[in-house]
Amino acid sequence: MLDSFFGLRSRGTTVRTEAIAGFTTFLTMAYIVVVNPIILGQAGMPVAAVAVATCLAAAFGSILMGLLSNYPLAMAPGMGLNAYFTYTVVKGMGLAWQTALGCVFISGIAFLLLTVAGVRQLIMSAVPRSLFAAVAGGVGLFIAFIGLSDAGIIVAQAEQNVRLNEPGLIQGYQHAQTVIVGHKCSGLLVVFELLEPHGQGFQGLRFFSKGKPVFCFLREALLELLVSGSRQSVLWGRQ
């Protein structure tokens, strides 16, 4: 049924391949469920409500994209726009988040009218492809920045905005920072190895030739649980 509805065979794919790709895409974008409410919560919005809205918007957007256009794209709130909303519009310009949210609604109506009139496509066609690549790279760096900050590798500093963190104590556990930074960096190395396009590298990792990102996500989740659990055990033992 899925094959006939989506035309999978004519597109050179299978249900299994699409299932793995869909699961991988979900793991890739699942961080938005946490990061988006955290960023918008700093603007004063209720975090729980934002989390629910983020899940619903991503779910309905992705479902409609597949059903109406038969195109393998997942839809979700943009990570760059939420930071602009919080730090530039609300905190920088001093607007209330309700007023800023109204501006977002008006801009959505404007983009809808531009799309119906065909003007949006003309604008998109006029944008150089290099600018599209730059936007994708910028969003990637922004997400990497969040990850480095969460791992404790970089910290905020008034004089330089951001700097490398110094070795020391994290929540009273002397070696926690070394362990956290070590497993984060090792995770990056595994990602680079598994995504190596020519199949070179560690022979033992070739078993994961399909669904490589899934293995990376599961590995990092397991290590994060082990590191967090050991750190909490030490902290509870000192109390």
Side-chain angles (χ1 to χ4, degrees):
M1 183 178 67
L2 292 176
D3 190 5
S4 60
F5 183 83
F6 293 104
L8 300 180
R9 187 173 303 175
S10 62
R11 297 171 183 266
T13 184
T14 62
V15 175
R16 178 179 179 275
T17 299
E18 294 304 309
I20 295 176
F23 184 58
T24 303
T25 303
F26 169 76
L27 293 179
T28 303
M29 59 190 297
Y31 73 94
I32 298 176
V33 179
V34 177
V35 176
N36 194 46
I38 290 177
I39 294 178
L40 294 180
Q42 296 182 26
M45 299 183 67
V47 176
V50 174
V52 174
T54 301
C55 295
L56 293 177
F60 283 109
S62 301
I63 291 172
L64 291 176
M65 175 63 73
L67 294 179
L68 299 181
S69 66
N70 196 14
Y71 208 69
L73 287 180
M75 307 295 292
M79 286 294 98
L81 293 179
N82 57 7
Y84 178 80
F85 177 93
T86 298
Y87 303 115
T88 301
V89 177
V90 176
K91 290 190 173 183
M93 300 180 180
L95 294 179
W97 68 265
Q98 294 88 341
T99 304
L101 209 58
C103 296
V104 173
F105 176 77
I106 295 174
S107 67
I109 297 297
F111 276 114
L112 178 61
L113 296 177
L114 291 176
T115 301
V116 174
V119 179
R120 178 180 174 275
Q121 185 62 36
L122 295 176
I123 296 175
M124 297 298 290
S125 301
V127 176
R129 296 187 63 86
S130 58
L131 186 57
F132 281 110
V135 171
V139 173
L141 289 175
F142 175 68
I143 296 173
F145 185 87
I146 295 176
L148 292 173
S149 177
D150 179 68
I153 299 177
I154 58 176
V155 293
Q157 187 179 41
E159 297 81 5
Q160 302 175 354
N161 294 327
V162 66
R163 64 173 176 81
L164 288 174
N165 199 0
E166 298 178 359
L169 301 179
I170 293 183
Q171 298 181 352
Y173 183 18
Q174 183 175 4
H175 302 292
Q177 184 176 10
T178 303
V179 175
I180 294 173
V181 173
H183 100 74
K184 295 291 184 182
C185 292
S186 67
L188 288 176
L189 293 177
V190 172
V191 170
F192 294 152
E193 170 63 27
L194 291 179
L195 297 182
E196 204 281 326
H198 303 295
Q200 303 297 325
F202 300 120
Q203 299 292 328
L205 296 179
R206 294 192 183 178
F207 174 77
F208 303 97
S209 58
K210 292 186 177 180
K212 293 177 181 179
V214 175
F215 169 71
C216 297
F217 298 141
L218 295 178
R219 174 194 179 276
E220 283 303 296
L222 178 60
L223 286 178
E224 185 69 28
L225 289 174
L226 293 176
V227 172
S228 300
S230 62
R231 181 175 58 185
Q232 291 299 327
S233 298
V234 173
L235 291 176
W236 292 337
R238 292 186 175 187
Q239 293 178 355

